[in-house]
Amino acid sequence: MSMVFSEILMKKSVDIDPVFCLNLFPKFKVVSYFEKHFLPERPFLSIMSLPQSKDNRSFFQPSAFLLIGIPGLEAVHGWLSIPFCSMYTLALTGNFLILLAVRRTPSLHQPMYYFLSMLALTDLGLTLCTLPTTLAVLWFDYRHIAFDACLVQMFFLHSFSVVESSVLLAMSFDRFVAISNPLRYASVLTNSVIGRIGLAIVTRATVSLFPVPFLLKRLNFCPEKIQLSHSFCFHADMMKRACADITVNVLYGLYVVLSTGFVDSLLIVLSYGLILHTVIGLASPRERTRALNTCVSHILAVLVFYIPVIGVSIIHRFGRHAPPIVHSLVAYIYLIVPPVLNPIIYSVKSKHIREAIISVLHSFSLLQANQTIWNWIKSI
């Protein structure tokens, strides 16, 4: 029997099925042989996937997933990394400058700019969620991501998205209070109230997304479907790799979308309806224009965030037959474009933010110049 088994293994032209051999030679310890000689060639096949018993025969959980850059453009990933690096640099630099400008400028210590700081901090988190894996794929063609690491990235990615939606809702409430009741603006939105709003936003996102990794971890995945559709981990993308009933995952995902993004968008529309009603009641056209101008930046930020969100939702629900590159580009627009554009929108439309950023850059240049002069003096 062992001679027959050896002859089968020596024939390199034969495609050997580990499951067949384990059933054919149950008395021989062939598990260790296949684990040694076949698993290195299949890095995502663990010994769990072999049918060790009838109870866990159908259960498979990959040790890692395969990420993908932009489908069909793998040959030019090196060139594509240039615009991606530029956008990541703009997003990180712009949002960091807004945080510094608000912190270092006492005149910006107001509710509107505190909420803007929350938005900038959220955009930083959203950018840092996707930056490592995206650049690893584009620069080094490193496509592996561990299963648990994928769950963590997915959790934070969706959590920051929920936080951003909630911050935009809070900013619309801020604009409503500032326009409808300007005399009580400072007394309504005190520092303690803003702090509680921020805490509620983070708690809401954490509680909403906390069950998602556990719902994914219980699923039985397909060994042949370990390649994801993006260079990061999406909930909808991961659950489609399962060979099990994903009804619970779909329903809970729909609940999270409806209870966060959908509700937030409705409340934002309602708040702007009330703002328009208040503005129309103003006597002076100049006052109307001035009141509406304070909302332009926020309206643009809302559009920049929600239009890609709607696009991603439509593509994942109804775009099954769309080319893979469409899915990829829509996802990149959703995750990268808002963090890039938000600092530009607020620095262009808000004179106070623009002046504060220029002041911060000027202080940095002076500091660098003083440091250079001091180093030159010490070297003499």
Side-chain angles (χ1 to χ4, degrees):
M1 198 73 162
S2 60
M3 292 181 63
V4 174
F5 177 63
S6 300
E7 290 179 2
I8 293 176
L9 294 179
M10 291 300 291
K11 293 182 178 180
K12 297 181 180 180
S13 60
V14 178
D15 187 12
I16 303 169
D17 184 3
V19 176
F20 167 76
C21 290
L22 285 173
N23 293 330
L24 183 61
F25 305 105
K27 295 183 181 181
F28 294 92
K29 296 181 179 179
V30 296
V31 173
S32 60
Y33 181 89
F34 281 97
E35 190 173 8
K36 179 179 179 182
H37 292 278
F38 286 87
L39 294 185
E41 299 176 4
R42 300 180 183 180
F44 304 102
L45 179 64
S46 66
I47 201 66
M48 291 175 57
S49 63
L50 298 180
Q52 297 170 357
S53 67
K54 293 183 179 180
D55 296 332
N56 63 354
R57 177 173 299 179
S58 61
F59 186 80
F60 173 77
Q61 192 173 89
S63 59
F65 283 112
L66 275 177
L67 301 174
I68 190 172
I70 299 181
L73 300 177
E74 290 83 358
V76 292
H77 273 178
W79 292 105
L80 290 175
S81 66
I82 297 175
F84 274 90
C85 277
S86 302
M87 288 189 290
Y88 278 127
T89 303
L90 282 174
L92 295 175
T93 305
N95 288 289
F96 185 67
L97 283 175
I98 285 182
L99 289 174
L100 279 181
V102 173
R103 179 180 176 82
R104 294 190 174 191
T105 309
S107 61
L108 298 183
H109 293 176
Q110 300 176 24
M112 174 183 177
Y113 300 109
Y114 288 146
F115 287 123
L116 178 58
S117 298
M118 292 183 191
L119 184 65
L121 194 61
T122 305
D123 284 337
L124 281 175
L126 199 59
T127 302
L128 292 173
C129 276
T130 60
L131 184 148
T133 52
T134 300
L135 293 186
V137 171
L138 295 179
W139 276 351
F140 310 110
D141 196 32
Y142 185 82
R143 302 168 57 201
H144 301 172
I145 182 169
F147 181 78
D148 291 334
C150 196
L151 291 177
V152 171
Q153 185 187 46
M154 180 271 304
F155 172 79
F156 280 105
L157 190 151
H158 289 294
S159 295
F160 279 118
S161 297
V162 172
V163 168
E164 180 143 357
S165 175
S166 303
V167 170
L168 290 172
L169 173 60
M171 295 175 79
S172 69
F173 175 70
D174 166 80
R175 291 297 85 209
F176 169 69
V177 174
I179 293 174
S180 63
N181 203 343
L183 297 179
R184 295 189 58 194
Y185 177 61
S187 61
V188 171
L189 290 174
T190 60
N191 290 345
S192 61
V193 170
I194 294 172
R196 287 198 291 270
I197 291 174
L199 182 61
I201 287 173
V202 174
T203 303
R204 178 198 191 197
T206 305
V207 171
S208 298
L209 274 302
F210 185 76
V212 175
F214 299 99
L215 290 176
L216 284 172
K217 204 170 179 64
R218 70 181 178 86
L219 293 177
N220 172 35
F221 288 85
C222 302
E224 69 277 5
K225 294 168 64 176
I226 58 173
Q227 179 169 289
L228 301 179
S229 303
H230 309 287
S231 60
F232 38 79
C233 300
F234 261 148
H235 173 248
D237 195 19
M238 292 180 67
M239 70 180 182
K240 289 178 181 178
R241 270 57 191 166
C243 292
D245 184 12
I246 58 173
T247 303
V248 175
N249 298 71
V250 172
L251 292 177
Y252 189 77
L254 182 61
Y255 161 74
V256 171
V257 171
L258 293 178
S259 63
T260 56
F262 182 71
V263 171
D264 291 349
S265 60
L266 287 181
L267 293 176
I268 289 172
V269 171
L270 176 62
S271 67
Y272 272 102
L274 296 174
I275 288 172
L276 285 175
H277 182 267
T278 303
V279 170
I280 291 173
L282 297 176
S284 171
R286 183 179 180 181
E287 290 180 357
R288 296 175 189 173
T289 304
R290 183 180 177 184
L292 290 176
N293 279 338
T294 62
C295 301
V296 172
S297 300
H298 179 255
I299 292 173
L300 292 175
V302 169
L303 293 176
V304 164
F305 177 75
Y306 278 104
I307 289 177
V309 167
I310 295 171
V312 168
S313 301
I314 292 174
I315 285 294
H316 274 287
R317 295 293 184 275
F318 308 108
R320 296 180 180 178
H321 302 293
I325 192 171
V326 174
H327 290 261
S328 182
L329 292 178
V330 170
Y332 283 123
I333 291 172
Y334 161 56
L335 291 173
I336 300 178
V337 171
V340 172
L341 291 184
N342 284 337
I344 297 174
I345 291 171
Y346 277 93
S347 61
V348 170
K349 297 299 297 181
S350 175
K351 179 182 177 182
H352 301 293
I353 289 291
R354 184 168 62 251
E355 292 177 349
I357 290 176
I358 292 173
S359 176
V360 169
L361 292 174
H362 184 64
S363 64
F364 275 146
S365 62
L366 286 178
L367 182 64
Q368 184 66 33
N370 291 335
Q371 185 67 33
T372 304
I373 294 172
W374 177 247
N375 291 337
W376 179 74
I377 292 174
K378 287 198 302 183
S379 64
I380 296 177

